[in-house]
Amino acid sequence: MISRFQTAYGTAADALSRGVRRVSAALWRRPAVSAGLLLLPPLGWFVLIYLAALAALFISAFWTVDSMTGDIVRDWTLQNFRTIFESPTNIAIALRTLGIATAVTITDIVLAFPFAYFMARLASPRQRIILSTLVLVPLWSSYLARVYAWRLIFAGDGLLNWCLRLVGFDGVEIGYTNWAMWIVFSYIWLPFMIMPVYAALERIPFSLFEASQDLGARAWRTLFRVVIPMSMPGVVAGSIFTFSLTLGDYITPVLVGGPGSTFIGNVVYNNVGITNNVPFAAAYATIPLVIMALYLSAARRTGAFEHL
Amino acid sequence: MNSYATDQAQDASSPSAVAEPVIVRLAAVRKSYKDVVAVERVDLEVRRGEFFTLLGPSGSGKTTSLRLIAGFEKPDSGLIELNGADVTGLPPYDRDINTVFQDYALFPHMTVAENIAYGLQAKRVPRDEIKPRVAEALRMVRLENFGERSPAQLSGGQRQRVGLARAIVNRPKVLLLDEPLGALDLKLRQEMQSELKRIQAEVGITFLYVTHDQEEALTMSDRIAIFNLGRIVQIGTPAQVYEEPADEFVAGFVGTSNILRRDGRRFALRPEKVRMMRADETSTEAGLHVEGGTITEVIYVGQFTRYVVRLADGTDITTVRQNSDRSTSGPREIVGSKVLVAWRSDNLFELR
């Protein structure tokens, strides 16, 4: 009895292990199938949560809200977009958002490049570790805390004016202006520019610097003909971060911006949270989306995505 | 036919080459990294038009010497002269020297033609002069139709040719080549070796060539400087360093040598100069020195077979025998056979 049970059990276990082996061999012969199985969960997540949400946003942009009842009217209409493009205020807000995102991106390129160059080319391994830690540490602290810190710096009797008066200048009142936003955004997103530029600069083989010198090029020619062109993919990759993060932000404008500092994100926020006009918010939110789509397709041509 | 004629012409002109002026001179050059000495008191004179090779194992200082001449490194002390002028303190871009790099170092974001034009643009050569010179350089390395390609589209051998064209287009006084064929496979390397010789003959530029490959050095060079432990141990023609090695290191590094110790003196003896005979064979040839021994190793190489014979005093003598007759049954002599080895005493070279 026992022995027959053992035999039966043994046969079943053998069959199972044979089955496992056969499946594993079949997967080994079809790498595409195993890759598919591996990607199924994240891909499912991506399609459901991310693309579905984007699609819902895009569809609802063509709906309206009944102004009497506040209910969503599911009729296809371009009314929301017409409202946006017929209102000088809405256009001004979109242009302001776009302009400051551009200014922040340019500022970060100018600040990040020499810093990343020093890190990648001149710093000792020890200095490099210290510098990359310094770049990354702010990212571990709260975004809100950092923006609030800048409010204190910009305040009338804040750190900035205290320093200015110390060296004999008059104080400036730049708190709650677009200048403040520009400075704060440039500060907050700087690490996202430094890191890809650093990665791009580090990938330039040292022999290319020597080859350039060897062929008679002085420092500036090496910089403009070799270093900058070869680090462009990193710069583009970084600018995708700085540009899109600024474009979508709505907290910094509230905290350090003034009355004339409304961003697209603030309009979206107000329409969702206060006016309860989700379709209009959706329509307005597609503007930065379209801008980013255009920017990304332009960036793709430079090969920047290999550096993300 | 043509190359034969060139060889003849070179042979005929080699005595006069001795009279050519010195173009590169290193005097007591020393270079260390922290507490590691890379180059210790190097003295060197390279004459115009020479194919001069720096040969040595890795870490012997040959590449550092080349980098010092190029200006990529600053010497701790000593003097570097180019065409009679002191260039010790000059940066690479102010030296009339160009380098061919081991990893090619082509600019990946430029086309082949842009790579080659780079040096001319840096020297502000007029625009209408650049184009024909780039075309001429491409022709010289036989890549006429590759100007618009990107370096990524080329094979290793083609990239090295572009590296060469990019350097010679500037018509430097000296061309430095840092193990330029190191990354290529054997067939391609041999092909490029003769290409390099042809191109040097065509442009007449002094070539300063770094390699660790002794065969490459022997076949290509007019003269060779052999490096060991940061010093030059011998400078001479290929035949000189092969037949009259300065010390045991050179004897072992350039080709292989048997080292014989007799009467407290040391001699180098090349394997091909040792004759192997049957134990019962006799020879009446004058000046022939014969000793008995036992074969301890037989290595079939194809064109020849290499034997190691242990003599009565324990010395191992390596000898080679051409496989001049076709046979698949292997060599007659096997490990353990008693044989005689013989050499003419004038083929011994005493080592200091």
Side-chain angles (χ1 to χ4, degrees):
Chain A
M1 194 63 182
I2 289 165
S3 79
R4 203 189 301 163
F5 170 77
Q6 278 178 333
T7 316
Y9 176 78
T11 318
D14 281 354
L16 187 67
S17 91
R18 267 201 306 278
V20 167
R21 235 177 294 157
R22 207 170 301 147
V23 169
S24 122
L27 284 178
W28 180 79
R29 282 192 298 271
R30 295 173 190 80
V33 175
S34 28
L37 286 173
L38 194 70
L39 282 176
L40 199 61
L43 217 59
W45 173 271
F46 183 74
V47 168
L48 273 176
I49 307 296
Y50 199 73
L51 291 184
L54 267 182
L57 174 87
F58 198 64
I59 290 167
S60 60
F62 295 95
W63 293 342
T64 48
V65 165
D66 188 321
S67 52
M68 295 299 286
T69 60
D71 290 339
I72 288 173
V73 183
R74 292 180 171 79
D75 290 334
W76 297 103
T77 169
L78 289 170
Q79 184 53 48
N80 292 325
F81 294 99
R82 218 170 287 138
T83 312
I84 293 167
F85 290 109
E86 279 170 2
S87 146
T89 317
N90 285 336
I91 291 176
I93 289 170
L95 287 178
R96 173 187 308 132
T97 312
L98 191 64
I100 290 189
T102 309
V104 166
T105 299
I106 292 168
T107 310
D108 278 347
I109 291 172
V110 171
L111 293 177
F113 197 87
F115 190 90
Y117 186 87
F118 179 83
M119 259 172 82
R121 289 284 147 200
L122 308 171
S124 67
R126 198 183 132 77
Q127 286 173 322
R128 196 172 301 163
I129 290 169
I130 294 170
L131 287 176
S132 27
T133 312
L134 285 177
V135 169
L136 293 175
V137 157
L139 297 181
W140 301 338
S141 65
S142 160
Y143 171 98
L144 273 179
R146 283 183 290 147
V147 179
Y148 268 114
W150 277 100
R151 259 168 86 129
L152 298 177
I153 293 170
F154 289 138
D157 52 355
L159 185 67
L160 176 68
N161 283 340
W162 183 79
C163 288
L164 282 175
R165 291 195 186 105
L166 204 66
V167 291
F169 286 102
D170 291 335
V172 290
E173 294 297 333
I174 61 163
Y176 311 109
T177 63
N178 289 344
W179 293 106
M181 280 208 299
W182 168 62
I183 292 171
V184 172
F185 275 132
S186 299
Y187 153 77
I188 286 193
W189 308 136
L190 186 59
F192 294 94
M193 180 65 80
I194 291 177
M195 280 305 162
V197 174
Y198 165 74
L201 286 171
E202 207 196 17
R203 276 165 57 143
I204 304 176
F206 192 69
S207 61
L208 293 190
F209 289 78
E210 289 182 343
S212 179
Q213 287 191 1
D214 186 77
L215 291 165
R218 284 157 202 283
W220 65 267
R221 186 181 287 271
T222 305
L223 182 68
F224 284 99
R225 297 266 343 252
V226 179
V227 182
I228 289 180
M230 287 196 71
S231 60
M232 263 339 259
V235 172
V236 171
S239 72
I240 290 171
F241 290 126
T242 57
F243 191 69
S244 69
L245 288 170
T246 312
L247 214 55
D249 200 277
Y250 63 96
I251 300 172
T252 300
V254 172
L255 294 181
V256 299
S261 300
T262 314
F263 259 39
I264 293 175
N266 302 109
V267 176
V268 172
Y269 178 81
N270 289 341
N271 275 285
V272 174
I274 300 164
T275 335
N276 198 24
N277 189 346
V278 174
F280 181 78
Y284 210 32
T286 51
I287 292 178
L289 221 60
V290 168
I291 293 172
M292 269 324 286
L294 292 174
Y295 189 70
L296 287 177
S297 67
R300 202 167 68 98
R301 294 174 189 207
T302 66
F305 292 118
E306 294 154 31
H307 291 255
L308 282 173
Chain B
M1 187 67 192
N2 203 354
S3 74
Y4 179 68
T6 322
D7 286 349
Q8 291 279 298
Q10 271 181 346
D11 278 351
S13 69
S14 55
S16 71
V18 177
E20 288 285 349
V22 171
I23 192 129
V24 176
R25 195 165 83 88
L26 270 63
V29 168
R30 184 180 192 279
K31 173 71 187 174
S32 59
Y33 301 97
K34 290 194 177 141
D35 44 354
V36 181
V37 180
V39 166
E40 183 78 83
R41 272 201 76 82
V42 162
D43 295 289
L44 191 65
E45 283 188 351
V46 181
R47 298 191 195 101
R48 193 169 69 197
E50 260 191 315
F51 196 115
F52 194 96
T53 297
L54 312 183
L55 174 68
S58 49
S60 60
K62 57 190 193 304
T63 295
T64 303
S65 301
L66 197 80
R67 294 175 57 80
L68 284 164
I69 296 168
F72 301 143
E73 311 278 355
K74 291 189 195 84
D76 303 341
S77 59
L79 184 76
I80 300 168
E81 277 181 10
L82 177 64
N83 207 23
D86 182 359
V87 298
T88 318
L90 290 187
Y93 44 78
D94 287 335
R95 299 186 186 196
D96 203 354
I97 294 176
N98 286 110
T99 306
V100 177
F101 293 83
Q102 183 173 15
D103 67 351
Y104 321 130
L106 302 180
F107 303 119
H109 58 294
M110 298 181 197
T111 65
V112 166
E114 285 167 349
N115 264 283
I116 298 172
Y118 189 89
L120 299 177
Q121 289 164 349
K123 289 189 187 67
R124 305 196 181 285
V125 171
R127 203 176 287 261
D128 53 337
E129 199 185 311
I130 289 179
K131 218 175 165 195
R133 276 176 71 173
V134 169
E136 166 68 10
L138 279 169
R139 185 200 58 74
M140 209 174 288
V141 298
R142 300 185 177 164
L143 288 176
E144 285 94 336
N145 301 318
F146 288 72
E148 295 314 309
R149 300 250 188 125
S150 123
Q153 295 170 298
L154 304 181
S155 70
Q158 289 169 336
R159 285 180 207 183
Q160 195 52 277
R161 283 161 195 262
V162 176
L164 187 64
R166 187 177 68 172
I168 56 175
V169 77
N170 303 296
R171 297 169 190 160
K173 291 218 167 52
V174 180
L175 184 69
L176 307 179
L177 301 102
D178 184 11
E179 309 224 14
L181 311 182
L184 305 179
D185 62 48
L186 182 64
K187 275 267 181 261
L188 200 55
R189 199 154 70 220
Q190 288 169 342
E191 200 183 298
M192 281 301 288
Q193 284 173 4
S194 48
E195 280 283 279
L196 280 174
K197 288 295 281 182
R198 175 184 64 81
I199 288 165
Q200 199 219 0
E202 196 173 332
V203 296
I205 295 172
T206 310
F207 275 34
L208 201 52
Y209 192 93
V210 161
T211 184
H212 61 265
D213 182 336
Q214 48 98 11
E215 193 180 311
E216 196 166 281
L218 290 176
T219 53
M220 297 178 78
S221 316
D222 296 319
R223 285 196 303 151
I224 303 173
I226 293 161
F227 279 73
N228 188 31
L229 303 172
R231 290 169 187 274
I232 293 179
V233 284
Q234 187 172 11
I235 297 178
T237 64
Q240 279 168 349
V241 297
Y242 187 78
E243 300 292 354
E244 299 178 348
D247 62 14
E248 200 170 325
F249 170 80
V250 178
F253 190 76
V254 182
T256 49
S257 289
N258 296 300
I259 305 295
L260 284 170
R261 286 180 172 77
R262 293 288 182 271
D263 312 324
R265 294 153 74 191
R266 287 179 308 129
F267 301 91
L269 177 62
R270 295 290 180 184
E272 70 276 11
K273 296 182 170 71
V274 179
R275 211 179 304 167
M276 194 168 68
M277 304 185 296
R278 288 192 311 275
D280 55 355
E281 219 172 314
T282 49
S283 173
T284 52
E285 193 181 322
L288 201 67
H289 178 88
V290 184
E291 285 188 30
T294 311
I295 295 181
T296 59
E297 235 178 283
V298 179
I299 300 153
Y300 180 75
V301 186
Q303 59 174 347
F304 60 86
T305 303
R306 184 183 298 128
Y307 301 88
V308 179
V309 178
R310 181 157 296 166
L311 303 181
D313 65 355
T315 310
D316 281 334
I317 295 288
T318 300
T319 176
V320 290
R321 182 183 280 169
Q322 291 291 320
N323 294 327
S324 37
D325 293 310
R326 197 159 65 89
S327 160
T328 54
S329 58
R332 264 195 328 263
E333 292 81 5
I334 54 164
V335 172
S337 308
K338 298 277 180 205
V339 290
L340 296 176
V341 285
W343 57 84
R344 287 212 323 268
S345 36
D346 58 353
N347 277 333
L348 287 179
F349 182 75
E350 185 173 359
L351 297 170
R352 276 166 283 120

